[in-house]
Structure formats: C-alpha cells, structure tokens
C-alpha cells in the first residue's frame, strides 16, 4: 500500500512537470510571435522613414561637373608675329582676327572648360560652361531650360550658343576638326553666335523628327551684327531627320538670322546643312557633313553679298580610331576689296586631313595637317601649312554631344 502511494505521487509530480513545461513552451511561442510582429513593424517604419528621407534628399539635385582640358603642339611655316597679322579679305581685316586656339608654333594650352549641369526641380534644369583661357576667364554658357512643358515645347533662357545651323551650337572640343570652319570664322568669329537671349523650340507630334525653333538674342556678335542700342538679333530654323533602313540616317536643316550690324543697318544670314550617317558596324560609321552659309549685309554705303561652305567626311573605323578630311571654300565675296589692290583675293579655300586616336572615350589624341589658302599675311597672299598634334581630356560627368 505504501509503495502504491509513493508511486502515485511520483506519477503526479511528473504530470505536473510536463504541464508546466508545455505552458512555458506555449508562452515562449507567443512571445516569439509577438517579437516577430514587432520586428516587422519596425522594419516597415524604418523603410518608410528611408523613403521619406530620400524624397527630400538633395543628392538627386547636386550638379554633374566636368573639367575639359585642350592643348596642342604644332609646326607652321609662318612665324607667330606674322601669323597674328592674318586677314581674310572681305571678312576680317589685319589685326582684327582672334586666335583663342592653337595660336603659337610650339606648345599651346588652349583652354580649360568647367562644365556644370543640374536638375533644378521637376520643371527646370540648369547648364553652365566656364572657359579659362591663359589670358582670360569667360562665361561660355549659363542658362536654364524647361523639362516638362506641354505640347512638346521647350524654352531656354540665359546665355547660350544658338542652334542656328549645324556647327554653331557645338563646343570646340566636340568639333570633328580642331580649327573652326572657314565660313563660320569669317562670318561669326571664334565664338560663333553665342549671346544672351531666349529660345523656344517645338517638336511636331509625328513619327518623323521635325523641330521648329526661334530665338531672340542680344546680337553682340560684331562680325555680322553688333548694334548694341537694344536686342537686335532674331533667328529661326527648321530641323529634321529620317532613317532609311537600319543603317542610314539623314539630318538636315535650314536657318535664318536677321539683325542689325554696327552701322545700324540690316544683316541677313541664310544657312542650309545636311548630314548623312551610314552605320557600317557596331562601332564603325561613315559621316558626311556639309553646310552652306550666305550673308547679305547692308553697310552705310555698300551692300555685301558673301557666302561659303565646308564639307567634311569622317570614317570611324572603331571605338579607338577615326580618319577625316574637310574642304572649306569662300564661294562669293562681293564687297569692297580696294584695300587689297594688287593682291590676289580669289580662290579662298582650305584643305584639312586628320587622324583621331581615342584610347578611352574621355581622352583623344588628334594629328592633323592643314593647307590654308585664305590668308593675307603682312599684306601678301601667303599659303599656310600646319601640322598639329592636339590632346583633349574630359574628366567627370559630361553629357554626350550630337554627332
């Protein structure tokens, strides 16, 4: 009897122990589930705070910045002192020509360009280019541009390079050749049409790219305009492009500029440009670009009619190498040439060939040869031969240029 009682007590104690363990396990499970719920809620709150912080973060609005360096070394058959007396008869008189690029025999640091771009807010983006020349500092461009106007409209305001023609809006380091096209240099000077003003562009809502643009600018360009009494320059253009098959693209445009020159009389400039690009392979292409400009300028007692063109052919062999040639010519020069009496002022043209090597997309070496027959130097018609090696470096975030 006594043994049975002891055995019952032992069984009862074991049962109570098992029940207590089950209760503890159940309590732990409940606690574990509560902890998981709290952790999930904490993660949700942290993610929400992160998203809110990101939406107000200024990092998305910090500007992209780039530094561009351009330098060259060259050999020329004309001394530096004589070269600075260069004139293009009928367009630029001796002593009035600017030489911002590749001026001297030997070594040239042409410029450093500091470029900035930033999204301002959902409605505007801002651009600025600062040029640091060895002897000067200038604001190349500084403007804002809309990003979300209705009806495919876009407005630009500030100081900017006009979209007149094909080459005008490009910066020197994005040219296919180191020298400016002869007709651009003759009509506009090294900065082309670059001025304070406002621009309106509209892209037609059709399958083919068709863009209409108009600009009102101050008109400080002294080569063709320059009446500083008020803003005097108005520009309009139409540009289009079509693709033929998978490989051929054709771009073209017509442009017109009307302004007042330094005699307060009218200057009208007409332009037409055409570019063909044939894609030969993944990294190979053939590009033929041509542009013709015509100027009708009324002066105090004369009316000048002048025109010229350039045509360049570029063969891009691959990502690293490209080859090119360009021909420039003044085709019309009806103006007062009496100051050049006894000097041949016909056949003003120039030939250029070049080889580009790009070890990486942000660096470029260019070897070129130019034979220039457009210059009057020290009151004589002299042909200029020039061999040049240039180096261009772009460091930082810099947007791609149009081809």
């Amino acid at each position: 009897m006594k043994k049975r009682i002891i055995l019952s007590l032992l069984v009862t104690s074991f049962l109570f122990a098992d029940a207590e363990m089950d209760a503890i396990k159940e309590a732990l499970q409940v606690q574990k589930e509560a902890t998981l719920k709290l952790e999930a809620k904490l993660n949700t709150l942290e993610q929400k705070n992160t998203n809110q912080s990101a939406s107000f973060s200024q990092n998305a609005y910090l500007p992209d910045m780039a530094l561009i360096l351009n330098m060259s070394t060259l050999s020329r058959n004309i001394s530096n002192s004589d070269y600075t007396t260069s004139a293009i008869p009928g367009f630029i008189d001796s002593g009035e020509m600017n030489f911002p690029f590749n001026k001297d025999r030997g070594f040239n640091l042409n410029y450093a360009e500091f470029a900035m771009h930033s999204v301002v807010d959902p409605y505007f983006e801002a651009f600025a280019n600062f040029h640091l020349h060895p002897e000067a500092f200038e604001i190349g461009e500084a403007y804002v541009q809309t990003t979300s106007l209705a009806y495919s409209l876009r407005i630009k305001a500030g100081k900017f390079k006009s979209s007149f023609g094909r080459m005008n809006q490009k910066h020197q380091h994005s040219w296919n050749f180191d020298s400016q096209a002869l007709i651009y240099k003759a009509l506009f000077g090294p900065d082309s049409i670059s001025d304070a003003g406002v621009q309106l562009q509209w892209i037609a809502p059709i399958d083919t790219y068709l863009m209409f643009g108009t600009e009102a600018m101050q008109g400080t360009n002294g080569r063709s305009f320059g009446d500083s009494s008020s803003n005097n320059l108005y520009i309009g253009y139409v540009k289009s492009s079509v693709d033929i098959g998978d490989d051929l693209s054709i771009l073209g445009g017509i442009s017109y500029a009307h302004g007042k020159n330094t005699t307060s009389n009218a200057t009208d400039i007409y332009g037409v440009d055409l570019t063909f690009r044939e894609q030969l392979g993944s990294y190979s292409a053939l590009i033929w670009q041509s542009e013709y400009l015509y100027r009708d300028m009324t002066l105090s007692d004369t009316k000048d009619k002048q025109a010229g063109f350039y045509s360049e052919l570029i063969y891009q062999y691959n990502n690293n190498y490209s080859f090119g040639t360009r021909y420039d010519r003044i085709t019309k020069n009806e103006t007062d040439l009496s100051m050049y009496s006894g000097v041949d002022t016909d056949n003003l043209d120039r030939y250029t060939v070049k080889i580009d090597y790009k070890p990486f997309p942000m660096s470029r070496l260019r070897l070129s040869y130019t034979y220039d027959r457009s210059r009057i130097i020290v009151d004589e018609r002299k042909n200029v031969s020039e061999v040049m090696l240039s180096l261009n470096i772009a460091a930082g975030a810099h947007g791609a240029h149009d081809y």
Side-chain angles (χ1 to χ4, degrees):
M1 183 68 180
K2 186 176 180 181
K3 290 182 178 180
R4 289 180 179 178
I5 293 172
I6 293 172
L7 182 59
S8 298
L9 291 173
L10 290 173
V11 171
T12 302
S13 63
F14 282 124
L15 290 175
F16 276 114
D18 288 341
E20 186 176 2
M21 289 178 63
D22 290 340
I24 292 173
K25 289 179 179 180
E26 184 176 353
L28 287 173
Q29 184 62 33
V30 171
Q31 186 66 36
K32 183 177 180 180
E33 292 177 356
T35 300
L36 291 174
K37 290 180 180 180
L38 289 173
E39 288 178 348
K41 187 174 181 180
L42 178 62
N43 289 336
T44 301
L45 290 173
E46 287 179 343
Q47 185 64 39
K48 184 177 180 181
N49 288 337
T50 300
N51 292 338
Q52 289 176 344
S53 298
S55 65
F56 293 102
S57 173
Q58 291 297 314
N59 291 336
Y61 301 98
L62 291 177
D64 296 327
M65 293 181 286
L67 177 64
I68 298 164
L69 299 176
N70 187 276
M71 58 201 76
S72 65
T73 180
L74 62 89
S75 174
R76 186 187 291 131
N77 66 326
I78 304 295
S79 68
N80 293 339
S81 58
D82 287 349
Y83 188 70
T84 56
T85 69
S86 294
I88 301 177
F91 294 90
I92 305 174
D93 294 334
S94 178
E96 295 183 359
M97 189 177 296
N98 297 323
F99 301 92
F101 316 122
N102 314 305
K103 177 183 178 181
D104 296 325
R105 295 194 295 188
F107 297 98
N108 295 272
L109 174 60
N110 294 315
Y111 60 85
E113 178 181 302
F114 184 59
M116 300 177 65
H117 162 251
S118 179
V119 175
V120 179
D121 54 32
Y123 309 101
F124 293 97
E125 55 183 342
F127 297 82
N129 288 278
F130 304 99
H131 292 278
L132 292 82
H133 296 279
E135 300 177 357
F137 169 83
E138 63 181 7
I139 300 175
E141 294 186 277
Y143 61 88
V144 296
Q145 185 170 271
T146 60
T147 59
S148 57
L149 290 183
Y151 307 109
S152 300
L153 292 170
R154 186 174 69 180
I155 296 176
K156 180 188 294 186
K159 183 180 187 294
F160 55 89
K161 297 177 75 67
S162 171
S163 294
F164 178 99
R166 177 79 172 127
M167 180 179 282
N168 190 91
Q169 64 183 333
K170 294 188 176 185
H171 292 195
Q172 192 268 352
H173 61 264
S174 67
W175 296 346
N176 290 324
F177 295 83
D178 281 302
S179 60
Q180 189 179 24
L182 180 60
I183 188 62
Y184 266 91
K185 188 175 187 65
L187 296 185
F188 303 129
D191 292 331
S192 299
I193 305 177
S194 179
D195 218 336
V198 62
Q199 176 193 86
L200 174 65
Q201 293 181 344
W202 175 68
I203 299 175
I206 57 177
D207 293 337
T208 300
Y209 175 76
L210 182 62
M211 186 267 284
F212 297 83
T214 183
E215 299 168 358
M217 309 186 80
Q218 192 66 18
T220 59
N221 184 289
R223 291 272 180 253
S224 292
F225 308 105
D227 185 345
S228 59
S229 59
S230 64
N231 68 290
N232 71 86
L233 178 57
Y234 300 93
I235 297 171
Y237 42 83
V238 180
K239 300 175 185 286
S240 181
S241 68
V242 295
D243 294 330
I244 299 177
D246 296 329
D247 301 323
L248 178 61
S249 297
I250 303 175
L251 297 85
I254 56 175
S255 304
Y256 170 66
H258 172 79
K260 292 184 178 181
N261 54 55
T262 53
T263 67
S264 297
N265 292 298
T267 295
D268 295 290
I269 299 179
Y270 308 85
V272 58
D273 61 89
L274 190 62
T275 301
F276 295 86
R277 180 187 178 94
E278 176 75 18
Q279 196 67 34
L280 304 176
S282 299
Y283 305 105
S284 179
L286 189 65
I287 304 169
W288 180 28
Q289 176 178 314
S290 301
E291 193 166 357
Y292 177 84
L293 302 182
Y294 177 93
R295 180 172 71 178
D296 194 340
M297 184 167 66
T298 301
L299 301 174
S300 299
D301 52 2
T302 61
K303 192 165 187 176
D304 295 349
K305 296 181 181 297
Q306 298 163 299
F309 74 92
Y310 71 87
S311 185
E312 55 191 37
L313 184 65
I314 307 297
Y315 172 49
Q316 181 178 317
Y317 176 70
N318 56 24
N319 276 343
N320 302 112
Y321 291 96
S322 65
F323 310 87
T325 181
R326 182 172 74 186
Y327 179 64
D328 298 84
R329 186 177 182 86
I330 302 299
T331 59
K332 181 184 284 291
N333 200 6
E334 296 181 7
T335 185
D336 182 11
L337 298 173
S338 59
M339 66 181 298
Y340 300 103
S341 177
V343 179
D344 180 16
T345 57
D346 296 328
N347 301 316
L348 303 178
D349 60 6
R350 184 176 65 186
Y351 302 82
T352 308
V353 293
K354 62 106 177 192
I355 300 174
D356 284 359
Y357 171 59
K358 299 180 71 174
F360 195 73
M362 308 302 282
S363 57
R364 183 195 67 221
L365 282 165
R366 174 177 290 162
L367 179 64
S368 62
Y369 170 74
T370 300
Y371 185 65
D372 189 349
R373 304 196 304 170
S374 68
R375 307 289 181 115
I376 303 294
I377 298 176
V378 195
D379 299 324
E380 295 181 23
R381 179 76 176 268
K382 291 185 179 180
N383 299 332
V384 180
S385 293
E386 181 179 275
V387 178
M388 177 167 57
L389 177 65
S390 66
L391 172 64
N392 194 89
I393 300 292
H398 187 63
H401 294 280
D402 297 335
Y403 69 83

